Amino acid sequence: MAQIKNLIFSNGERYPMLMDSDGTPDYWVTLYVTEKLRPSQTQSAIINTLGHLIHLKLWEEINNRNLIEEFVESKFLSNEDVYSIRDHCMLDSRSLRSWLKRSKSNVVRFPSASTASFKPIQSVSSNHASNRMTHIAFYLDFIVRVLLKNKLINETVSASITSMNKSLLANKPKGNKGKGLAVDPNLKSAPPEAFDRILEIVKEDSSDNPFKGTDVKLRNAIIFEVMNQTGMRAGEILALQIDDIDFHKNTISVVRRHDAVEDPRKRQPVAKTRERSIPVSATLIGRLKSYIMENRAATDNAKAHPYIFVTHKRGNYFGKPISNSTFVNRIIKPAIAVSPELLEEVTRHGFRHNFNYNLSKRIDARNQAAKTNPEISPVTEKMEIQIRKQLNGWSSDNTAEGYNLRYIREEADRVMREDIEHWSQFIKKDL
């Protein structure tokens, strides 16, 4: 099975490469990445594209096809092929590989043959499938034009290639374009009380704390506090360096450092949004200082790099900056497992939504207080948008909408209930 390998060049550049099952780089995918993606795309974006192309190769495997050989012979995708790829893009890769592995088995045990053990192939969202097909269309268009560059002068060949690309793009699964309940991230996110609960769980002195060791408990508690107070993305937290903390002004800065030479991680966590400084409590700054000056300073190898949060378990990664997989599997998941009924929908990005929810409540409380206290200036709608853009690192005013849906919906429900209760009084009198 094809796998993605991340290389680190001497200048710090991260280069994701698709490796075939025999361990050699996939020539055509590597050419596409080098020519089309590398000049402008981030490591994360390239990895996502490679995932889509792996899914295309899975389609070739299932259907016993080799598109490169077919293109060489000027055989292009038929309408049926396009429809098949479209339907294939709707399927979850891991679930499909699992099904493929079971279907290749020549031995069928009786229990596994029962309908009770049957697991259907899972699907992905229309938006995800549409994105997949877009990347596949761009890749195939590039490859076929390279393969047949000497034949492009032929109008029939050129028209066939253009028609194939248009057909792929025209048959993308229709996404919801950001409208409707299906794309409301708050419908599937944890309620505010879940975030309060998880912050209680990860406190160092909590009896429910699932972590071991003084260093690890303090580090993880601080990470959750940073997520809660700043709404920072996971990559931004993992990329924090000591110089990003202003111990006098009580601020944490988000700095973009793509392809950092000093970062030993092959998959480098980076900031996706604009650079910014976020004010936090003096208590959190004090805890960060304590962790850096005492716990981190006493950890071997931590002085070799400037990243704040490091691995405290002895081994190959002792003292090195924690990875994204450690963040997910060793920090987030153990905390959620303490109370899965309440916390199962808590995600790292959910803290960002919860941060904006709490920000809405604070702004609303300030505006309420401003009505009776002339010394308090209210926050206008325009000011609120600017505040959100600054704290979250957004460049567009529209981005805030998706992060404020929970609070807006709660306010709309409250107003509606008050209106219903008001008119219900008159209805009861008439009855």
Side-chain angles (χ1 to χ4, degrees):
M1 184 181 71
Q3 292 184 332
I4 299 173
K5 181 178 181 181
N6 291 287
L7 304 179
I8 303 180
F9 295 153
S10 59
N11 64 351
E13 179 188 354
R14 268 68 175 176
Y15 187 90
M17 181 177 290
L18 187 63
M19 313 297 289
D20 290 330
S21 55
D22 60 359
T24 59
D26 185 294
Y27 174 80
W28 292 105
V29 172
T30 302
L31 179 63
Y32 177 66
V33 169
T34 304
E35 288 281 329
K36 292 295 184 180
L37 305 184
R38 183 185 178 193
S40 60
Q41 299 291 320
T42 64
Q43 178 189 22
S44 179
I46 295 175
I47 289 173
N48 289 337
T49 300
L50 292 181
H52 300 322
L53 300 185
I54 289 175
H55 199 69
L56 173 64
K57 290 182 175 296
L58 190 56
W59 178 85
E60 290 184 281
E61 179 183 348
I62 293 172
N63 293 278
N64 195 25
R65 301 283 293 274
N66 187 319
L67 295 181
I68 299 296
E69 293 180 357
E70 293 176 19
F71 289 162
V72 169
E73 298 177 2
S74 297
K75 295 179 181 178
F76 307 114
L77 295 176
S78 65
N79 288 335
E80 289 73 20
D81 292 333
V82 172
Y83 302 151
S84 177
I85 291 175
R86 176 199 62 196
D87 296 341
H88 177 77
C89 285
M90 289 295 298
L91 302 177
D92 177 74
S93 296
R94 182 177 298 178
S95 178
L96 186 57
R97 280 195 296 267
S98 178
W99 169 84
L100 188 62
K101 184 177 180 180
R102 292 196 305 269
S103 66
K104 286 182 177 180
S105 176
N106 294 323
V107 179
V108 179
R109 294 181 176 84
F110 182 75
S112 65
S114 70
T115 56
S117 62
F118 174 74
K119 293 183 179 180
I121 301 174
Q122 310 218 350
S123 60
V124 299
S125 68
S126 296
N127 283 343
H128 185 73
S130 178
N131 195 35
R132 262 183 185 167
M133 204 157 177
T134 299
H135 285 283
I136 288 173
F138 291 162
Y139 166 72
L140 293 180
D141 186 69
F142 169 81
I143 294 302
V144 73
R145 291 183 183 278
V146 171
L147 287 167
L148 302 179
K149 61 182 178 181
N150 295 327
K151 295 183 179 181
L152 291 178
I153 195 172
N154 185 306
E155 291 185 6
T156 303
V157 172
S158 181
S160 297
I161 294 173
T162 301
S163 177
M164 182 182 72
N165 185 56
K166 286 184 178 179
S167 181
L168 283 166
L169 294 175
N171 282 278
K172 294 188 301 181
K174 304 301 180 185
N176 43 43
K177 297 183 180 180
K179 298 179 180 179
L181 292 174
V183 294
D184 184 351
N186 295 299
L187 288 179
K188 294 183 179 180
S189 67
E193 56 267 23
F195 296 97
D196 295 336
R197 173 64 179 135
I198 204 168
L199 289 170
E200 289 293 325
I201 288 173
V202 299
K203 286 182 177 179
E204 298 99 301
D205 58 354
S206 171
S207 59
D208 293 325
N209 193 308
F211 308 114
K212 297 180 180 180
T214 303
D215 296 334
V216 173
K217 285 185 176 182
L218 177 60
R219 180 200 68 189
N220 293 352
I222 292 175
I223 287 175
F224 277 98
E225 289 168 23
V226 171
M227 286 194 290
N228 184 62
Q229 290 195 29
T230 66
M232 289 169 60
R233 294 175 179 271
E236 295 169 343
I237 292 176
L238 297 182
L240 280 176
Q241 296 186 4
I242 296 174
D243 288 342
D244 298 335
I245 312 299
D246 191 319
F247 297 99
H248 300 289
K249 295 182 179 179
N250 295 339
T251 61
I252 298 177
S253 294
V254 176
V255 182
R256 295 175 64 88
R257 300 187 183 93
H258 288 74
D259 297 328
V261 177
E262 67 273 16
D263 195 333
R265 293 167 288 195
K266 288 187 176 180
R267 188 161 185 179
Q268 181 194 3
V270 293
K272 295 177 65 177
T273 50
R274 286 184 169 183
E275 295 187 351
R276 60 199 185 277
S277 291
I278 308 172
V280 296
S281 67
T283 300
L284 177 56
I285 291 296
R287 284 166 61 73
L288 274 164
K289 184 177 182 179
S290 176
Y291 171 75
I292 292 169
M293 300 298 292
E294 298 176 17
N295 307 76
R296 184 185 182 279
T299 304
D300 295 339
N301 302 326
K303 295 180 180 179
H305 62 83
Y307 295 95
I308 294 178
F309 300 112
V310 301
T311 300
H312 294 282
K313 182 179 180 181
R314 292 195 173 274
N316 295 332
Y317 299 100
F318 183 58
K320 294 183 178 180
I322 60 176
S323 64
N324 182 67
S325 60
T326 296
F327 194 12
V328 174
N329 299 314
R330 300 292 181 86
I331 299 177
I332 300 293
K333 287 185 177 179
I336 292 174
V338 173
S339 184
E341 300 82 8
L342 176 63
L343 306 177
E344 63 179 352
E345 294 179 337
V346 169
T347 63
R348 295 172 297 169
H349 199 72
F351 274 90
R352 192 165 172 82
H353 286 273
N354 193 58
F355 168 78
N356 279 278
Y357 171 78
N358 289 330
L359 178 61
S360 296
K361 298 192 73 172
R362 290 197 296 271
I363 291 174
D364 193 50
R366 179 185 179 90
N367 288 340
Q368 284 294 114
K371 293 179 180 179
T372 57
N373 188 344
E375 294 184 0
I376 299 177
S377 56
V379 178
T380 65
E381 183 176 352
K382 184 177 181 179
M383 289 171 58
E384 179 179 349
I385 292 174
Q386 296 306 313
I387 290 171
R388 289 190 190 280
K389 287 173 63 178
Q390 167 61 29
L391 293 178
N392 290 278
W394 296 326
S395 56
S396 170
D397 294 355
N398 297 329
T399 311
E401 294 180 4
Y403 288 85
N404 200 30
L405 285 176
R406 183 191 293 278
Y407 185 75
I408 292 174
R409 188 171 58 247
E410 284 186 359
E411 285 299 291
D413 290 345
R414 179 184 63 79
V415 172
M416 180 63 75
R417 281 194 297 269
E418 289 179 354
D419 190 57
I420 291 173
E421 291 174 0
H422 170 74
W423 290 109
S424 294
Q425 297 175 7
F426 297 98
I427 294 174
K428 290 178 180 178
K429 291 179 180 179
D430 292 338
L431 293 176

